DNA sequence: CTGGATCCATAAGGATACTG
DNA sequence: CAGTATCCTTATGGATCCAG
């Protein structure tokens, strides 16, 4: 395993740009939630437990802007808006799911490490 | 592609825990930098461009606590401290490198999407 | 239902100075 | 060299109210 940062000295390298984007706590959860198919605004909010309406709106807009999500609005009363992963978004969901796999497999060990560390302190 | 969140309703699911941990902007960069082998404190700071000394210290300590990094101190003058990925850390580096690959391959399209979005606004 | 706009508390994080 | 401690500014993000 070698360093996977193309150029750690460069603040503008793609890896870093992506991290700036997904490092906001909610992006990954939303993309993950939409991996199962399109969902409405309220439904996403309900699934991503703990997100405020403000952050939901903000993050969704940012993701649409980035071409990760597509926003479809239906002129109904009451209004219905659905968000869905674009091809680009579905592609991103792939490496993210790898992360989730790692989490499921190894977060137990992390927890143990923490407790052990804290006992030693 | 289905949703990769084991239980989005659960704030304590492993995926979420991991995201809380790596969502801090520096963790991923540090783990990535150490993918090439052990490095000294100052050297990590130099490679992870833009990180402050405070965040470097803080993040390194958290990663050691989580069992991702090992800290080795040599009783020399001047002191020398090296950080190295543990097996667990090297394992984490794998899915992270997938993310980096995605970034290199697709961030260009994201950039285009942003410009297109901004023009339309 | 799907947001927009504001206000406000808290926390993240940079700059700086200091220490073994 | 490898941190620690402090101050202080900024950004994050929740709560609340309003609107189409």
């Amino acid at each position: 395993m070698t360093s996977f940062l193309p150029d750690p000295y460069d603040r503008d390298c793609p890896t870093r740009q992506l991290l700036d984007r997904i490092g906001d706590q909610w992006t990954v959860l939303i993309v993950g939630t939409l991996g199962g198919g399109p969902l409405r605004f309220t439904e996403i909010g309900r699934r991503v437990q703990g997100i405020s309406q403000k952050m939901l709106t903000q993050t969704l807009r940012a993701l649409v802007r980035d071409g990760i999500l597509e926003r479809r609005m239906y002129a109904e009363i009451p209004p219905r808006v659905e968000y869905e992963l674009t091809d680009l978004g579905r592609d991103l969901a792939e490496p993210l799911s790898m992360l989730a796999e790692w989490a499921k497999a190894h977060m137990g060990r992390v927890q143990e490490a923490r407790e052990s560390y804290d006992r030693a302190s």
Side-chain angles (χ1 to χ4, degrees), chain A:
Chain A
M1 168 66 61
T2 98
S3 171
F4 57 70
L5 286 175
D7 182 2
Y9 296 86
D10 181 8
R11 301 199 66 161
D12 297 326
C13 74
T15 300
R16 184 127 191 182
Q17 282 181 42
L18 175 63
L19 289 172
D20 287 345
R21 186 63 199 77
I22 69 175
D24 68 8
Q25 202 75 220
W26 299 117
T27 293
V28 173
L29 295 174
I30 290 178
V31 170
T33 300
L34 288 174
L39 290 174
R40 303 180 59 163
F41 180 85
T42 304
E43 182 60 21
I44 302 174
R46 187 162 35 241
R47 300 204 183 193
V48 181
Q49 179 90 3
I51 193 172
S52 67
Q53 192 188 53
K54 177 184 176 179
M55 291 316 296
L56 181 56
T57 300
Q58 221 171 80
T59 309
L60 285 173
R61 184 158 5 118
L63 285 171
V64 170
R65 177 173 180 262
D66 284 357
I68 305 293
L69 298 186
E70 184 187 359
R71 179 183 192 270
R72 253 192 312 278
M73 198 176 109
Y74 301 89
E76 305 174 355
I77 307 288
R80 180 163 61 100
V81 178
E82 282 185 351
Y83 293 88
E84 183 174 17
L85 290 177
T86 61
D87 289 342
L88 190 59
R90 262 183 293 276
D91 214 66
L92 174 59
E94 197 107 11
L96 292 184
S97 75
M98 304 282 185
L99 263 189
E101 287 305 318
W102 188 93
K104 276 188 281 188
H106 299 295
M107 280 308 286
R109 283 181 63 189
V110 168
Q111 191 54 43
E112 291 170 20
R114 285 177 187 172
E115 289 164 8
S116 159
Y117 182 97
D118 291 344
R119 269 195 307 274
S121 301

